[in-house]
Amino acid sequence: QAAAYAGQEVTVIGPVVGATWATDSRGQPTFLNIGLPYPDPGRFTVLIWIDARWNFPDAPELLYTDRTICVSGAIEVYNGVPEVEVLGPEQIIVVG
């Protein structure tokens, strides 16, 4: 459903079912997959670039995996998958 809100600031809630720090990829992104695991096209992705990763008190994949989170930001769609780019922990609230 999030893809319908592309370009808008929203808050998405859901369980983080998988997370990866792609250290060999350009920009060394961290991906938090909400609702469904990668590569399921129905997932929602939280994207944290390497520069923003250091704003977190611990590795995001350790902080949020198997937790339910609320994440706020502008929805973008990349290869058909909705995502939010996160710059710091203030955009993520753990709710469960």
Side-chain angles (χ1 to χ4, degrees):
Q1 295 172 338
Y5 298 94
Q8 297 180 43
E9 292 278 334
V10 300
T11 299
V12 174
I13 183 172
V16 178
V17 298
T20 302
W21 181 17
T23 57
D24 292 334
S25 295
R26 183 171 162 247
Q28 296 185 352
T30 300
F31 300 102
L32 307 177
N33 296 304
I34 296 178
L36 296 167
Y38 175 86
D40 193 301
R43 74 190 183 281
F44 179 83
T45 300
V46 176
L47 171 63
I48 305 167
W49 293 108
I50 188 68
D51 290 343
R53 182 179 170 87
W54 309 123
N55 294 330
F56 290 82
D58 202 352
E61 64 275 15
L62 299 177
L63 289 171
Y64 303 115
T65 298
D66 298 325
R67 308 294 300 271
T68 297
I69 64 171
C70 289
V71 59
S72 298
I75 300 284
E76 299 297 331
V77 178
Y78 180 76
N79 288 338
V81 176
E83 67 181 23
V84 164
E85 181 179 336
V86 169
L87 301 176
E90 64 279 356
Q91 287 179 260
I92 300 175
I93 299 170
V94 175
V95 294

